[in-house]
């Protein structure tokens, strides 16, 4: 049962309520949402629902219809993000766990770990206790294997995930690993589930070979009911009549599970297919289906693997798969970040500094509110744990970063349908700050309104003026609608909500609809589905980890034939790809222009200093905006050995 608390409930009343419920032997969980706070009450409901509704501080009592309670979306409407060390599963960035089936020997394991880390894996897998179908097969190295996993973490920074096959291994798990896997064969080993619930580590719960989704969720419920809500579900294929693959990958489980539970779900295409050549297609499909990540078996010499060699990818195949996922991720609103772990380490340092410094700086500032696209860009670039400062204007972000009250700032700079956001280019000219990073988001717009609203009844639309332009064709079909400008998309949704008027709607992303409990009246109303916005990360001194392969410049040239050509010749002669060239009028100097140039090269590198010198010599005004790693929707960074 869910108790929705009244907004006026006092802390004292809330504690009293929880005490009353606990005294009746209920399991009590408080869930604080953006809009309301609810208390999940789990146990046999013995009284009429009106009794609970009459308790002081309770606004509404709703029975949970499903047999699983703690894992259900009804109890916890927002998706849960599960942390394994610095890695967050269930958020805006894909998490790929990779490694061998079993830990075989130290050198081999470290080699595989280095390879998968280089290709963008953020966690390492490897079994030390292998549940094998035959008692004569390799059973794993036991504690020796766990020690090797510990070494992997120390050397590469990859958190390690390994399977626990018996409650007796609990102490070893606590000592050596970052997350515990419950294998398919043990999904209904209830004593093991209870034990996993008690050891306080995140649990990766695989789906049983022949388990229904409901049975699987009931197994997750066992872990949560022991007080551990750090559970990640893993679809790994089920047994069917089909002999061509080892199992049948049930990808439908991804959207089904997403609807039924708040827990994240990842997919294991290795055990699902059993065949190397089938792994990458299924991995790509899993991400397209909305999975939060993947767990993939990789081996440097699969032919010699002691278990599951035929389904293990070669490191090169894994690298290629990751490049594909890098491109697919933004299409489904996610990001694969090659600098994930290095960035996380850096942000942790900034956070720690912030808490001890005399004048603490927030790690990052953005203009907008939660649910806006810029907020999503922050989450995709920095992850969910970074304390962000929400600003009410672009200039405020520049000011904060300039005064070093925020180390980084995130701003939209360009949209693929409507072009540059000139206000930010102008601010980049005005302030002496550098572009340190870039992130590209696919922008999907929805018409969002009240539950009882109909498209025909709409009269007024709120959103950012840029967004109106991105949805021009759709809006032209409704010429009578009154368009009202708002500072950002999420703010427009909150205004519509506050106004309680079913003739009003907002245009925003689906996250804003979810956050404010509003309804999507029409999905995907942007002019083209290839609608991307490029956000840049600005900073005064901060640099970001990773290869720099793009540079942004602003310059003007003298008023004589060939002067622009002379600057472009520098790029041509050095085989540098020009990816953007835009001219903008110079304020107060009619018919004179500034050129905004992006090129694919690192000009911050000492070895390329001559490029800057040559360009300075050929221009009248020259501003180096920064060198950084280009964001997704472009190709990933070249492999760095
Ligand atoms: C494994 O991950 O190596 C494994 C044994 O998986 P499953 O339990 O899904 O068969
Ligand atoms: Mn395996």
């Amino acid at each position: 049962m869910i108790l929705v608390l009244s907004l006026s409930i006092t802390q004292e009343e809330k504690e009293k309520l929880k005490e009353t419920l606990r005294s009746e032997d209920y399991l009590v969980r408080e869930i604080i949402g953006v809009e309301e706070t609810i208390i999940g009450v789990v146990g046999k409901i013995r009284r009429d629902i009106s009794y609970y509704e009459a308790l002081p501080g309770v606004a509404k009592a709703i029975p949970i219809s499903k047999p699983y309670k703690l894992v259900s979306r009804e109890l916890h409407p927002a998706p849960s993000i599960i942390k394994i060390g610095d890695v967050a599963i269930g958020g805006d960035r894909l998490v790929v766990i990779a490694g061998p089936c079993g830990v075989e020997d130290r050198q081999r394991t470290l080699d595989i770990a280095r390879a998968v880390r280089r290709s963008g894996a953020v966690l390492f897998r490897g079994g030390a206790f292998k549940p094998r179908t035959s008692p004569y097969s390799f059973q794993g190295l036991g504690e020796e294997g766990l020690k090797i996993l510990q070494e992997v973490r120390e050397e590469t920074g990859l958190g390690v995930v390994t399977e626990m096959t018996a409650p007796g291994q609990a102490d070893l798990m606590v000592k050596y690993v970052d997350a515990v896997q419950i294998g398919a064969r043990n999904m209904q080993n209830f004593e093991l589930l209870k034990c996993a619930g008690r050891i306080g580590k995140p649990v990766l719960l695989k789906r049983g070979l022949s388990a229904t989704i409901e049975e699987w969720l009931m197994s997750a419920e066992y872990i949560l009911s022991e007080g551990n809500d750090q559970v990640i579900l893993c679809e790994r294929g089920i047994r069917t009549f089909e002999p061509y693959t080892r199992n049948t990958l049930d990808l439908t489980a991804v959207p089904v599970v997403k609807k039924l539970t708040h827990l994240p779900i990842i997919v294991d295409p290795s055990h699902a297919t059993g065949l190397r050549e089938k792994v990458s297609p299924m991995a790509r499909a899993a991400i397209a289906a909305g999975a939060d990540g993947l767990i993939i078996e990789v081996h440097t010499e699969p032919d010699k693997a002691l278990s599951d060699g035929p389904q293990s990818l070669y490191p090169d195949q894994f690298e290629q798969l990751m490049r594909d996922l890098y491109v697919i991720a933004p299409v489904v609103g996610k990001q694969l970040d090659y600098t994930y772990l290095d960035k996380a380490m850096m942000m942790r340092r900034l956070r720690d500094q912030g808490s001890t410094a005399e004048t603490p700086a927030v790690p990052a500032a953005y203009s907008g509110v939660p649910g806006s696209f810029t907020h999503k860009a922050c989450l995709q670039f920095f992850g969910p744990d970074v304390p962000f400062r929400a600003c009410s204007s672009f200039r405020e972000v520049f000011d904060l970063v300039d005064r070093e009250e925020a180390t980084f700032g995130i701003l939209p700079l360009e949209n693929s349908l409507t072009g540059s956001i000139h206000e930010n280019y102008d601010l980049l000219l005005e302030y002496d700050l550098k572009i340190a990073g870039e992130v590209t988001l696919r922008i999907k717009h929805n018409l969002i309104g009240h539950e009882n609203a109909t498209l025909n009844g709409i009269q007024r639309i709120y959103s950012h003026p840029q967004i109106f332009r991105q949805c021009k064709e759709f809006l032209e079909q409704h010429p009578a609608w009154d368009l009202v400008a708002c500072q950002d998309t999420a703010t427009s949704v909150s205004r519509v909500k506050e106004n309680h008027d079913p003739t009003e709607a907002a245009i925003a992303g689906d996250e804003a609809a979810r956050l404010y409990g509003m309804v999507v009246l029409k999905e995907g109303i942007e002019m083209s589905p290839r609608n991307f916005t490029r956000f840049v990360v600005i900073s005064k001194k901060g640099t970001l980890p990773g290869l720099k392969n793009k540079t942004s410049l602003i310059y003007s040239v003298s008023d004589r034939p060939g002067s622009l050509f002379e600057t472009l010749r520098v790029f041509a002669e050095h085989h540098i790809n020009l990816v953007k060239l835009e001219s903008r009028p110079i304020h107060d100097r009619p018919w004179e222009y500034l050129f905004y140039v992006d090129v694919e090269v690192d000009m911050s590198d000492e070895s390329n200093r001559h490029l800057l010198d040559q360009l300075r010599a050929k221009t009248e005004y020259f501003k180096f905006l920064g060198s950084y790693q280009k964001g997704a929707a472009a190709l990933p960074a070249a492999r760095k050995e």
Side-chain angles (χ1 to χ4, degrees):
M1 174 179 57
I2 295 162
L3 299 182
V4 181
L5 304 188
S6 61
L7 294 175
S8 58
I9 191 170
T10 62
Q11 192 58 29
E12 205 178 313
E13 279 174 325
K14 195 154 73 178
E15 288 312 318
K16 184 113 194 295
L17 175 66
K18 287 199 223 171
E19 216 174 282
T20 310
L21 294 164
R22 283 199 192 104
S23 73
E24 295 186 19
D25 279 343
Y26 291 118
L27 205 63
V28 175
R29 293 276 191 281
E30 181 178 342
I31 295 146
I32 301 171
V34 182
E35 296 283 299
E36 57 193 16
T37 298
I38 62 175
I39 288 188
V41 183
V42 179
K44 190 164 171 44
I45 307 297
R46 289 176 292 268
R47 303 182 207 248
D48 191 77
I49 207 90
S50 58
Y51 163 82
Y52 301 96
E53 248 166 12
L55 292 172
V58 176
K60 207 158 54 171
I62 311 162
I64 301 177
S65 58
K66 304 286 189 313
Y68 41 86
K69 312 290 180 193
L70 296 170
V71 307
S72 78
R73 272 254 179 195
E74 289 170 73
L75 181 72
H76 195 294
S80 285
I81 293 182
I82 310 298
K83 293 285 308 282
I84 302 181
D86 280 332
V87 174
I89 308 181
D92 278 280
R93 291 184 297 175
L94 294 182
V95 168
V96 179
I97 308 170
C101 178
V103 176
E104 296 169 357
D105 66 65
R106 180 180 169 277
Q107 197 51 51
R108 160 113 45 223
T109 309
L110 283 168
D111 286 347
I112 300 172
R114 289 182 200 118
V116 299
R117 162 86 149 101
R118 212 163 36 229
S119 297
V122 290
L123 292 165
F124 189 73
R125 61 146 294 147
F129 299 96
K130 294 303 304 173
R132 305 303 302 281
T133 306
S134 161
Y136 309 117
S137 302
F138 173 61
Q139 303 286 311
L141 299 182
E143 186 169 3
E144 196 49 41
L146 296 177
K147 285 184 181 159
I148 295 172
L149 288 177
Q150 188 179 35
E151 217 179 318
V152 164
R153 181 196 313 108
E154 278 159 15
E155 196 204 292
T156 63
L158 293 167
V160 296
V161 184
T162 204
E163 180 164 354
M164 173 166 77
T165 54
Q169 295 155 2
D171 289 345
L172 290 175
M173 295 291 150
V174 171
K175 184 167 173 196
Y176 292 108
V177 308
D178 300 288
V180 169
Q181 175 177 321
I182 300 293
R185 288 155 197 81
N186 275 318
M187 189 206 83
Q188 283 186 316
N189 181 339
F190 300 113
E191 288 311 311
L192 188 63
L193 293 175
K194 284 193 235 167
C195 170
R198 285 192 296 264
I199 63 176
K201 297 263 178 190
V203 179
L204 183 72
L205 178 63
K206 292 230 181 164
R207 182 176 179 181
L209 276 70
S210 309
T212 63
I213 289 175
E214 190 158 303
E215 286 164 345
W216 185 19
L217 296 183
M218 290 307 290
S219 291
E221 186 81 9
Y222 262 93
I223 302 170
L224 268 80
S225 67
E226 290 293 333
N228 183 357
D229 52 8
Q230 305 296 294
V231 174
I232 302 136
L233 298 166
C234 177
E235 163 61 45
R236 47 77 74 204
I238 47 175
R239 183 163 287 181
T240 68
F241 48 81
E242 177 53 64
Y244 270 95
T245 47
R246 180 174 172 181
N247 291 292
T248 296
L249 176 58
D250 178 15
L251 271 188
T252 341
V254 175
V256 170
V257 158
K258 286 252 167 232
K259 191 156 181 111
L260 297 177
T261 148
H262 53 91
L263 299 175
I265 175 167
I266 67 167
V267 169
D268 172 349
S270 309
H271 294 87
T273 62
L275 299 164
R276 187 175 308 126
E277 67 188 43
K278 311 281 188 289
V279 170
S280 294
M282 288 301 98
R284 294 192 294 260
I287 295 309
D292 296 299
L294 297 161
I295 179 163
I296 297 180
E297 287 185 344
V298 178
H299 200 284
T300 42
E301 284 183 290
D303 292 346
K304 296 192 183 152
L306 300 179
S307 57
D308 288 349
Q311 68 193 32
S312 299
L313 294 185
Y314 287 94
D316 279 354
Q317 291 176 309
F318 179 67
E319 186 190 353
Q320 193 53 51
L321 168 64
M322 294 296 274
R323 286 171 64 91
D324 290 347
L325 298 179
Y326 181 87
V327 177
I328 294 169
V331 176
V332 289
K334 301 223 170 82
Q335 211 73 230
L336 190 141
D337 188 348
Y338 280 86
T339 59
Y340 195 123
L341 295 175
D342 299 320
K343 214 188 267 167
M345 230 156 20
M346 187 195 76
M347 294 320 280
R348 188 149 29 87
R349 234 184 4 251
L350 284 179
R351 242 183 356 248
D352 295 349
Q353 270 168 15
S355 58
T356 53
E358 264 174 49
T359 45
V362 286
Y366 72 100
S367 80
V369 293
S372 63
F373 286 107
T374 315
H375 185 242
K376 191 173 171 72
C378 282
L379 295 173
Q380 294 207 349
F381 195 82
F382 290 116
D385 299 324
V386 174
F388 301 121
R389 172 99 163 253
C391 297
S392 55
S393 70
F394 295 147
R395 184 176 286 282
E396 192 184 340
V397 176
F398 274 85
D399 276 336
L400 282 177
V401 177
D402 194 42
R403 294 199 302 263
E404 294 184 71
E405 286 172 33
T407 309
F408 297 103
I410 288 205
L411 302 144
L413 196 61
E414 191 174 4
N415 174 266
S416 61
L417 294 182
T418 52
S420 293
I421 291 133
H422 290 126
E423 185 182 344
N424 282 330
Y425 265 118
D426 290 345
L427 290 163
L428 280 169
L429 263 182
E430 187 182 326
Y431 287 77
D432 194 18
L433 301 174
K434 291 275 176 288
I435 298 179
E438 169 181 282
V439 58
T440 305
L441 255 61
R442 179 183 169 199
I443 307 289
K444 193 170 165 180
H445 292 306
N446 310 294
L447 190 71
I448 295 165
H450 294 274
E451 206 153 30
N452 54 348
T454 60
L455 205 55
N456 288 339
I458 298 295
Q459 292 172 8
R460 182 172 300 125
I461 309 285
Y462 296 87
S463 202
H464 189 276
Q466 265 268 347
I467 311 304
F468 290 142
R469 290 204 284 135
Q470 291 169 29
C471 303
K472 187 166 163 282
E473 287 168 3
F474 174 76
L475 292 172
E476 277 170 0
Q477 293 166 21
H478 304 278
W481 286 355
D482 183 18
L483 305 184
V484 184
C486 258
Q487 185 213 325
D488 63 72
T489 52
T491 304
S492 69
V493 177
S494 81
R495 265 185 77 178
V496 170
K497 183 174 176 121
E498 279 164 20
N499 291 351
H500 295 288
D501 179 351
T503 69
E504 292 188 344
I507 301 179
D510 46 13
E511 183 57 19
R514 196 193 60 74
L515 210 57
Y516 291 99
M518 300 293 277
V519 174
V520 172
L521 304 173
K522 182 126 179 92
E523 196 186 351
I525 58 169
E526 66 281 10
M527 275 194 288
S528 156
R530 286 177 184 246
N531 184 25
F532 292 90
T533 295
R534 219 185 116 210
F535 294 83
V536 287
V537 179
I538 55 165
S539 188
K540 188 144 188 166
K541 294 196 195 110
T543 55
L544 288 157
L547 196 70
K548 296 180 172 63
N549 50 11
K550 187 170 175 183
T551 294
S552 292
L553 307 167
I554 301 180
Y555 56 71
S556 67
V557 292
S558 59
D559 186 15
R560 59 177 175 77
S563 59
L564 174 63
F565 173 75
E566 285 303 318
T567 64
L568 300 182
R569 195 211 291 275
V570 175
F571 305 133
E573 278 174 355
H574 292 88
H575 305 286
I576 294 167
N577 192 32
L578 179 74
V579 286
K580 174 173 179 149
L581 173 63
E582 184 179 1
S583 66
R584 277 263 292 150
I586 303 176
H587 295 178
D588 305 324
R589 281 161 61 185
W591 321 124
E592 289 186 42
Y593 296 87
L594 280 172
F595 294 101
Y596 291 74
V597 176
D598 287 350
V599 279
E600 289 182 329
V601 66
D602 176 9
M603 286 201 197
S604 67
D605 194 85
E606 203 46 45
S607 66
N608 282 328
R609 221 198 149 75
H610 61 284
L611 294 174
L612 286 177
D613 293 340
Q614 284 178 34
L615 287 165
R616 272 200 187 97
K618 291 175 193 299
T619 50
E620 285 199 332
Y621 169 85
F622 184 83
K623 184 158 182 169
F624 167 65
L625 289 180
S627 290
Y628 49 92
Q629 182 164 95
K630 58 188 171 187
L635 275 174
R639 187 166 163 166
K640 201 175 172 187
E641 292 300 333

